[in-house]
Amino acid sequence: MVAYEIFQLVVFPGALFVICLAFLYEWVDRKLFARVQGRYGPLYTGPAGILQPVADFLKLLSKEDIVPRACDANLFFAVPVMYAALPLTALFIMPIAAPEALVSFEGDLIFILFSFGLMTLLIFLAGWSSMSRFSAIGSVRSALQMLSYEIPLGLVLVCPAIAARSLSVSGIVQWQAANATWGAALQPIGLAVVMVCMLAELELVPFDIPEAETEIVAGWRTEFTGRRLALFRMGRDLEIVLVSALVVSLYLGGAQQLWLVPAAAMFVIKTAAVVAVFSFARALFARFRIDQMIAGMWKYLLPIAVAQVVLVQMGLGA
Amino acid sequence: MAVNWARSGSPWLIHFNTGGCNGCDIEFVAAITPVYDVERFGIKLQGSPRHADILAVTGPVTVQIAHSLKRVYDQMPSPKFVVALGTCAVSGAPFRNCYCVHGGVDSVIPVDAYVPGCPPKPEAMIDGIAKLLQKIRGTKG
């Protein structure tokens, strides 16, 4: 029994499965992005290029590790490890193979929100510790961006919790299963707001202001090389899995069995659909300026988010 | 073995103009458009030399920019490779022995692949990089 629990934590649906899923979704994202532009995308690394993220990861692991003389060495070493570990930890709260997650407690939705805030804080520290002007601009932009999307995101994520009378992600999934409904059907406005905020959280194209390549080289990760960069890339991929898992769990019914299709397969299909929406958005839009982004979030997205909370409180969509 | 496979499967490029006429740069930019789709080989264009594996240099190296080229090369993490794109980058071409020109790229930093042409076609540039990748993989001397 203990062996099975260790297997659950380490292999399926724990760390190994989630890391494989992270690499798979990077490939899905790059392929779809390429298809929208009328190209093939990664093609020769493994069948149809499916091993491309693995090749990138291995290559970065084997590269020279440069530490700039001016950087704050302790932070510079610690931040990439924490950045990769945090979404991996948060993913244990997500129901993947069953409506009940490996770890769940009343209030884990708040922990997820907290971990999103912590990711941005780590990004800020990463840019700050590397003492490069491009990194500093990137990290300040990242913090500014967080100040504008965190509030609508927090407001809207509370709505499914109000509807399900539970602050646990597993509890919300089980509520949807018990009522045979999807959060998206009850709160479509909330889903739209969450998707926009998540694009900003993941720093994907309309909101990739902190790493705008044409302006500030590579933003907050300009100075990172080798295995630190590899950890940052893996952390980003895991964050995409975490975000799509959260959207699926709160709004798209989560990991529920459908006839003969097992819950884990439904989870993978639904999260892949969310990743597809992200990569289409990435391919279709151009980058906003930081002031446009902040003004838009406060002027338009925040009132919409408040309206969603009011609607739920009035009993609509609950 | 696995490392060589990974290195040849994910070459990230950074582009550096050492004082050319922009002819090669236009062709290089054409080579990374969707028409040629170099992401098939895993090639990505990076902004930071810290992230790049291959330095793609165009233009004759002027005396003024020689130290900057050396510095960008030094900022890249090894193993790193250099591709000289265009006849000017290969040898300095018509500007060789000019008072303000240092010479070809190999007079400043070691070069792994040369692509001659004025300017070389995007196909020629991709072919040169693909041959360098074969060299990294170890299938071709």
Side-chain angles (χ1 to χ4, degrees), chain B residues 13 20 23 46-48 50 56 59 62 65 75 81 86-87 93 95 105 114 131 135 137:
Chain B
L13 288 182
Q46 292 291 334
S48 168
R50 297 269 194 231
T62 59
I65 209 151
Q75 280 173 340
F81 306 95
T87 312
F95 309 105
V105 175
Y114 297 89
K131 285 200 168 113
K135 201 166 128 184
R137 191 169 289 165

Side-chain angles (χ1 to χ4, degrees), chain B residues 8 11 41 43 54 81-83 85 112-116 122-141:
Chain B
S8 62
F41 306 100
I43 294 177
I54 298 181
F81 306 95
V82 181
V83 185
L85 299 175
D112 297 273
Y114 297 89
V115 181
E123 289 93 331
M125 292 180 176
I126 295 166
D127 185 50
I129 292 170
K131 285 200 168 113
L132 172 65
L133 295 182
Q134 279 181 346
K135 201 166 128 184
I136 298 170
R137 191 169 289 165
T139 53
K140 200 173 178 184

Side-chain angles (χ1 to χ4, degrees), chain A residues 44 62 71 97 212 216 223 240 250:
Chain A
Y44 299 124
S62 71
C71 78
I216 48 172
E223 294 291 333
I240 289 181
L250 297 192

Side-chain angles (χ1 to χ4, degrees), chain A residues 30 37 39-45 52 55-56 58-59 62-64 66 217-218 221-225 229 233, chain B residues 3 5-7 9-10 12 34 37 39-42 44-48 50-53 75-79:
Chain A
R30 282 173 75 168
Q37 293 185 339
R39 336 183 251 122
Y40 285 105
L43 198 61
Y44 299 124
T45 322
Q52 186 64 51
D56 288 348
L58 280 179
K59 178 206 73 176
S62 71
K63 289 214 73 153
E64 186 189 355
I66 298 176
V217 187
R221 48 176 157 182
T222 301
E223 294 291 333
F224 288 91
T225 58
L229 185 63
R233 286 174 56 84
Chain B
V3 170
W5 167 80
R7 273 178 195 156
S10 119
W12 292 353
D37 188 19
E39 207 191 358
R40 285 177 297 152
F41 306 100
K44 282 203 332 188
L45 196 67
Q46 292 291 334
S48 168
R50 297 269 194 231
H51 302 173
D53 307 300
Q75 280 173 340
M76 289 167 61
S78 57

Side-chain angles (χ1 to χ4, degrees), chain A residues 66-316:
Chain A
I66 298 176
V67 181
R69 205 186 302 150
C71 78
D72 182 339
N74 291 335
L75 270 181
F76 199 76
F77 294 154
V79 165
V81 180
M82 284 154 73
Y83 189 84
L86 190 64
L88 193 59
T89 315
L91 268 163
F92 284 110
I93 292 173
M94 291 296 160
I96 291 176
E100 179 72 34
L102 286 179
V103 182
S104 80
F105 51 91
E106 199 55 44
D108 56 15
L109 185 64
I110 296 172
F111 176 79
I112 297 285
L113 264 175
F114 174 72
S115 71
F116 284 146
L118 213 55
M119 296 289 281
T120 316
L121 197 67
L122 284 176
I123 287 174
F124 180 80
L125 287 177
W128 201 253
S129 66
S130 51
M131 285 301 219
S132 149
R133 64 201 77 175
F134 300 117
S135 310
I137 295 173
S139 51
V140 169
R141 283 183 180 187
S142 178
L144 272 176
Q145 194 159 293
M146 182 184 88
L147 291 181
S148 54
Y149 73 76
E150 278 277 287
I151 293 157
L153 180 68
L155 277 175
V156 154
L157 285 188
V158 164
C159 297
I162 296 175
R165 303 262 181 276
S166 164
L167 263 177
S168 136
V169 179
S170 304
I172 294 170
V173 171
Q174 283 154 16
W175 178 81
Q176 291 178 78
N179 288 298
T181 182
W182 279 13
L186 299 172
Q187 302 167 0
I189 307 173
L191 177 61
V193 172
V194 165
M195 291 301 276
V196 173
C197 290
M198 287 310 185
L199 281 173
E201 163 72 35
L202 294 168
E203 292 173 5
L204 295 177
V205 155
F207 308 117
D208 68 331
I209 307 159
E211 49 191 61
E213 196 185 301
T214 39
E215 300 165 28
I216 48 172
V217 187
W220 51 271
R221 48 176 157 182
T222 301
E223 294 291 333
F224 288 91
T225 58
R227 49 180 188 272
R228 286 181 229 298
L229 185 63
L231 282 174
F232 271 126
R233 286 174 56 84
M234 196 171 86
R236 166 57 48 82
D237 291 347
L238 285 167
E239 202 186 351
I240 289 181
V241 178
L242 174 66
V243 160
S244 48
L246 185 69
V247 171
V248 163
S249 300
L250 297 192
Y251 289 99
L252 302 179
Q256 288 178 36
Q257 198 170 349
L258 186 73
W259 295 303
L260 290 173
V261 187
M266 285 309 291
F267 174 83
V268 171
I269 293 167
K270 286 173 183 173
T271 43
V274 174
V275 170
V277 173
F278 285 144
S279 44
F280 274 110
R282 202 158 77 85
L284 292 174
F285 291 104
R287 188 189 311 125
F288 286 114
R289 283 199 317 268
I290 184 77
D291 59 314
Q292 289 171 327
M293 187 265 179
I294 292 174
M297 286 281 179
W298 281 97
K299 275 187 203 156
Y300 305 113
L301 215 59
L302 185 62
I304 296 173
V306 173
Q308 176 65 68
V309 177
V310 171
L311 282 177
V312 169
Q313 286 293 357
M314 284 161 62
L316 297 167

Side-chain angles (χ1 to χ4, degrees), chain A residues 8-25 96-97 238 241 264-265 267-268:
Chain A
Q8 274 192 322
L9 281 177
V10 178
V11 185
F12 180 85
L16 192 68
F17 177 70
V18 163
I19 289 171
C20 290
L21 215 56
F23 284 139
L24 179 72
Y25 285 166
I96 291 176
L238 285 167
V241 178
F267 174 83
V268 171

